[in-house]
Amino acid sequence: MKNIIQHINKAFDHRIRLGIMSVLMVNDFADFNMLKELLGATDGNIASHTKALEKEAYIKVEKSFINRKPNTRYIATPAGREAFTKHIEALEKLINPNE
Amino acid sequence: METKNYLQDIAHIKTMMSRSSRFMSISGLSGILAGIYALVGAALAYLLLNTYPQYDYYDRTILTDDLGTDLFSQFLGIAILVLAAALVTSAILTYRKAKKLNEDIWNPVSKRLLANFAVPLITGGLFCLVLLQYGILGLVAPATLIFYGLALINASKFTVGDIKYLGLANVLIGLVATQFVGYGLYFWALGFGVFHIIYGAIMYHKYDRPSPKNGK
């Protein structure tokens, strides 16, 4: 039990961060507005949580201009994918210890 | 109490993954209605053929003389009407379902869905025009079924449900139809009519039906 808990990643221990990672796992990238719509969160909320994930190097941020409007894209890094997969596995084990 | 939290986390991950990559709002009912329109259209086409008794549908030289072009434009009219009715119905029903599910009808996923559906379909449409150009009429019906099926398979990555199997079924009978030139109308009725009704009924039963117990 102890070492399962170790795999529970504190960086994902928040609904918004969990959501951001989930979206980025199944999409090549997501832009700011897409995340905002999907998660139903405020600008500031998304900004601070993406920053936290970026600090952990779990996501990569690409800023560019589309039709002269600034556009921010988020991409999951290989390290982020690995960490998130481990996190999900740990969650599943906690729920279903027999498997 | 801890476990409950983890369960919620897993549920949240699942919804976010599917909502961000799959368009959920395609209505099963629209499949049923599209199938019915197709059957009505096929029946009309069949009746239309019978009003030209001197005309043998199974004769492969059909639609080559003046009478043929007349018949052809009426056929085309029916086909366009059926297509338009099916599109409008499914657009309305999808819009309604999207509203109910609180999903944006024009989001990145639905755009990708549409693009992936459109590429094989438009290719198929152009290819059929080429077949018409060279007068290879017997292969038009099989080609529409095959390309439509491929379009469905291609789009299935971006939505839930069993649309992939509807696509496979259409490709299969399209291929079978190539061996029965002259019976295109029957294969059309089967592929666009019967298959859609079966598919729509399954989808409606699985996802749309208001169920008292909210399973899963």
Side-chain angles (χ1 to χ4, degrees):
Chain A
M1 198 69 181
K2 249 237 160 71
N3 53 24
I4 297 175
I5 301 272
Q6 277 173 3
H7 284 294
I8 292 290
N9 196 327
K10 276 272 178 275
F12 305 131
D13 199 16
H14 188 281
R15 241 183 125 68
I16 302 283
R17 266 169 282 173
L18 202 66
I20 293 170
M21 280 311 288
S22 307
V23 172
L24 294 180
M25 287 295 279
V26 291
N27 289 281
D28 294 341
F29 64 85
D31 63 23
F32 193 87
N33 286 331
M34 181 177 163
L35 288 179
K36 211 175 87 176
E37 261 169 48
L38 280 165
L39 296 166
T42 61
D43 283 20
N45 235 330
I46 297 284
S48 70
H49 287 298
T50 48
K51 206 158 279 169
L53 287 169
E54 193 191 355
K55 220 169 148 189
E56 299 279 345
Y58 288 160
I59 64 173
K60 203 167 66 187
V61 183
E62 276 179 8
K63 286 178 198 265
S64 64
F65 287 86
I66 294 178
N67 298 327
R68 296 189 178 187
K69 273 193 215 150
N71 180 277
T72 312
R73 279 182 174 181
Y74 300 97
I75 300 140
T77 62
R81 287 181 176 275
E82 203 192 317
F84 196 67
T85 311
K86 278 205 179 122
H87 182 70
I88 295 178
E89 277 166 10
L91 285 180
E92 276 169 347
K93 273 199 191 118
L94 279 172
I95 292 161
N96 235 336
N98 301 329
E99 274 174 37
Chain B
M1 55 177 192
E2 279 286 294
T3 332
K4 205 180 164 211
N5 249 329
Y6 295 136
L7 269 176
Q8 272 176 0
D9 277 4
I10 292 269
H12 185 56
I13 291 169
K14 275 190 182 156
T15 10
M16 279 304 133
M17 283 185 169
S18 64
R19 219 201 277 173
S20 66
S21 63
R22 279 160 198 272
F23 189 62
M24 317 289 283
S25 304
I26 289 183
S27 152
L29 202 57
S30 66
I32 301 179
L33 288 172
I36 292 171
Y37 299 154
L39 283 184
V40 171
L44 277 178
Y46 185 76
L47 289 176
L48 194 69
L49 276 172
N50 284 347
T51 59
Y52 295 93
Q54 71 276 42
Y55 227 77
D56 184 5
Y57 182 56
Y58 307 112
D59 180 358
R60 291 175 196 193
T61 58
I62 187 172
L63 309 181
T64 46
D65 56 11
D66 286 349
L67 185 64
T69 32
D70 191 30
L71 194 63
F72 176 70
S73 51
Q74 281 171 311
F75 260 40
L76 202 67
I78 293 174
I80 289 172
L81 266 180
V82 168
L83 186 69
L87 282 178
V88 169
T89 310
S90 50
I92 292 171
L93 287 175
T94 300
Y95 176 74
R96 265 184 34 190
K97 195 173 164 189
K99 226 172 170 186
K100 215 166 68 187
L101 290 179
N102 220 350
E103 186 176 36
D104 196 352
I105 194 167
W106 199 234
N107 62 23
V109 189
S110 68
K111 278 181 212 166
R112 252 183 286 167
L113 173 76
L114 218 59
N116 276 273
F117 183 64
V119 170
L121 201 68
I122 292 170
T123 311
L126 293 175
F127 184 71
C128 287
L129 288 179
V130 172
L131 289 178
L132 288 174
Q133 179 194 354
Y134 292 119
I136 313 172
L137 300 159
L139 288 181
V140 172
T144 51
L145 285 164
I146 291 169
F147 280 102
Y148 178 65
L150 291 175
L152 287 179
I153 294 170
N154 210 32
S156 70
K157 286 168 280 181
F158 302 101
T159 182
V160 283
D162 315 312
I163 205 159
K164 196 175 15 181
Y165 301 109
L166 179 64
L168 275 175
N170 272 303
V171 170
L172 268 179
I173 67 154
L175 287 173
V176 172
T178 57
Q179 301 307 305
F180 298 92
V181 169
Y183 293 84
L185 194 56
Y186 298 105
F187 284 101
W188 255 346
L190 185 65
F192 291 117
V194 178
F195 283 1
H196 274 88
I197 293 174
I198 295 172
Y199 164 77
I202 293 171
M203 289 293 288
Y204 184 72
H205 186 75
K206 248 180 162 168
Y207 302 103
D208 291 354
R209 198 180 41 151
S211 65
K213 49 172 174 63
N214 217 341
K216 260 198 208 167

